[in-house]
């Protein structure tokens, strides 16, 4: 996981070459480096690239997108989701029903849809305990939900720095 960007080849790539969707950001997950998928091998390859500043590197990055939603649940309303429990302590969205609060939310927010495949990672500040999250969904009058979705992996290419980096 990328935790911080400092001066170097990735920062130069972000500033000089990359389109906004191809930039590397904190929170991105590096899933391959020049074809290497073993974490130890990726680390060696990245360390060598940083050390030499001349080695071309191709990095596959997976970006995790977050969506925060607030859904009112008064009057016995149905959420309108089919969920399954994940071993990671999250709830996976298996289906979005045609009716219910989520369908209403999606209709009102077409640029921030709740979709199949997303994971609910917290409900009303309850995290990691799926039974308590389900209880919140069943009992709370307002749901503050944090959802995550893995974006499509992107490839970033970083190479030699310019002669005089800024």
């Amino acid at each position: 996981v990328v935790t911080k960007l400092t001066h170097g080849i990735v920062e130069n790539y972000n500033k000089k070459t990359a389109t906004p969707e191809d930039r590397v950001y904190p929170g991105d997950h590096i899933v391959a480096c020049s074809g290497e998928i073993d974490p130890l091998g990726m680390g060696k390859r990245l360390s060598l690239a940083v050390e030499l500043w001349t080695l071309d590197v191709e990095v596959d990055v997976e970006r995790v997108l977050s969506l925060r939603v607030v859904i009112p649940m008064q009057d016995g309303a149905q959420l309108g989701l089919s969920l399954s429990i994940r071993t990671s302590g999250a709830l996976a969205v298996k289906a979005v029903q045609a009716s219910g609060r989520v369908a209403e939310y999606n209709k009102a927010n077409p640029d921030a849809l709740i979709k199949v495949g997303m994971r609910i990672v917290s409900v009303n500040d309850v995290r990691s305990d799926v039974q308590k999250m389900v209880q919140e969904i069943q009992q709370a009058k307002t749901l503050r939900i944090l959802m995550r979705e893995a974006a499509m992996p992107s490839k970033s290419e970083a190479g030699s720095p310019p002669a005089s980096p800024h």
Side-chain angles (χ1 to χ4, degrees):
V1 175
V2 176
T3 57
K4 182 180 178 184
L5 293 176
T6 57
H7 299 292
I9 58 176
V10 174
E11 184 182 49
N12 278 337
Y13 167 76
N14 279 351
K15 286 182 178 178
K16 309 263 184 203
T17 307
T19 62
E21 60 272 4
D22 287 335
R23 290 182 184 142
V24 178
Y25 296 100
D28 286 352
H29 295 255
I30 297 173
V31 295
C33 179
S34 295
E36 181 67 59
I37 60 171
D38 173 64
L40 186 58
M42 287 191 302
K44 287 179 182 177
R45 183 79 174 148
L46 287 170
S47 293
L48 186 60
V50 168
E51 183 181 323
L52 297 179
W53 273 76
T54 58
L55 184 62
D56 286 335
V57 168
E58 184 177 283
V59 178
D60 293 340
V61 176
E62 181 180 83
R63 182 158 298 130
V64 177
L65 305 175
S66 294
L67 176 64
R68 293 181 190 276
V69 298
V70 177
I71 298 179
M73 293 297 294
Q74 297 87 355
D75 305 324
Q78 296 294 311
L79 187 58
L81 289 178
S82 294
L83 303 170
S84 67
I85 295 174
R86 302 279 304 259
T87 57
S88 62
L91 297 167
V93 176
K94 292 305 210 180
V96 177
Q97 311 299 323
S99 62
R101 295 296 187 185
V102 170
E104 294 168 9
Y105 167 87
N106 280 350
K107 187 173 182 181
N109 299 280
D111 294 332
L113 297 174
I114 296 172
K115 302 177 274 199
V116 170
M118 295 181 98
R119 294 167 296 144
I120 296 175
V121 295
S122 83
V123 178
N124 295 344
D125 298 322
V126 175
R127 300 179 80 86
S128 302
D129 186 330
V130 292
Q131 299 306 326
K132 286 184 181 177
M133 288 193 292
V134 169
Q135 260 184 318
E136 285 293 317
I137 290 169
Q138 292 172 337
Q139 297 173 359
K141 297 209 182 282
T142 301
L143 301 176
R144 292 179 321 281
I145 301 173
L146 173 61
M147 308 192 79
R148 296 251 163 89
E149 171 185 35
M152 294 297 288
S154 68
K155 289 189 178 194
S156 303
E157 292 186 24
S160 303
S164 57
H166 297 272

